[in-house]
Amino acid sequence: MKVFFNQLFDYNFYCNKKLIERCSAMDTVPEKSITLFSHILNAHHIWNARILEKPPEYKVWQPHDIKDWGDIHYENQRSSFEITTNSEDFEKRIDYENTEGRLFANTLQDILFHIINHSSHHRGQITMDFRDNNLEPLPMDYIHYKR
C-alpha cells in the first residue's frame, strides 16, 4: 500500500505543481479556478490534519493568493508522505469531525484515496473553467503522467 499511495501522491504533486506553474505565469487566472484550487489545497490540508490529529490551519473554502499555493502544496505533500511512510496499517480507523461538526470514521486508505480523487475531481473542474475562458488546459490524466 505504501508504494501505491506514494505513486498516487507523486501524481497528485506533479499535477498540482504543473497547475501552480501555469497559473503563476498567467496575467489573469479565472476566479473560479483560484477558488477551486484553493479548495483542493485546503481539503488536502484538512484531511492530513485529521489523520495526524492536529487542528487544521485552513477553512474548506478559504482563498489563497497564487503566490502561496506552492508552499501550501509542498507542505501538504510532505505531510501525506509522512503519513504513508509511517503507517503500518492502512485499514486503521480514523475518527474525525467534519466541518459541520458531525462525527465519522473511515479507514486510512479510504481517506488517502479520497484526497487523490477529490483533487482530481476539482482539477477537472478547473480544466473546464480554463476551456470556458478560452485557455488551453493542461493534460493531467494519470496515464499521461505515467507515460
Side-chain angles (χ1 to χ4, degrees):
M1 282 306 240
K2 288 180 192 229
V3 171
F4 174 69
F5 280 115
N6 284 338
Q7 288 175 348
L8 289 180
F9 279 104
D10 282 346
Y11 159 67
N12 192 64
F13 185 81
Y14 169 83
C15 290
N16 286 350
K17 187 171 185 261
K18 290 291 183 189
L19 200 51
I20 291 167
E21 290 169 353
R22 175 76 182 279
C23 290
S24 295
M26 295 167 64
D27 292 331
T28 304
V29 178
E31 194 61 39
K32 183 176 180 181
S33 291
I34 293 172
T35 299
L36 289 167
F37 196 75
S38 291
H39 174 65
I40 289 170
L41 295 173
N42 295 336
H44 190 160
H45 167 80
I46 290 166
W47 282 110
N48 281 342
R50 288 172 178 162
I51 294 166
L52 296 170
E53 299 178 343
K54 295 179 180 179
E57 297 175 28
Y58 307 123
K59 302 289 183 197
V60 175
W61 289 101
Q62 180 179 336
H64 299 286
D65 288 332
I66 295 169
K67 66 179 177 50
D68 297 326
W69 286 1
D71 290 339
I72 296 167
H73 176 51
Y74 177 80
E75 182 58 27
N76 283 344
Q77 179 73 5
R78 190 202 60 72
S79 290
S80 292
F81 183 70
E82 175 186 324
I83 290 164
T84 59
T85 299
N86 295 329
S87 295
E88 296 300 326
D89 181 9
F90 287 86
E91 291 287 334
K92 176 184 174 185
R93 188 177 110 153
I94 307 292
D95 297 311
Y96 62 92
E97 187 176 306
N98 74 358
T99 55
E100 288 86 37
R102 292 183 58 201
L103 298 176
F104 292 93
N106 292 97
T107 64
L108 176 59
Q109 69 184 7
D110 287 344
I111 292 171
L112 293 173
F113 186 76
H114 173 73
I115 293 169
I116 301 300
N117 193 54
H118 178 265
S119 297
S120 294
H121 169 75
H122 288 302
R123 283 194 302 265
Q125 291 177 312
I126 292 169
T127 294
M128 292 305 299
D129 190 41
F130 270 40
R131 286 189 179 130
D132 290 346
N133 286 280
N134 298 313
L135 299 168
E136 185 66 31
L138 297 167
M140 291 186 282
D141 288 335
Y142 183 72
I143 203 68
H144 289 155
Y145 165 76
K146 291 302 280 188
R147 289 179 185 158

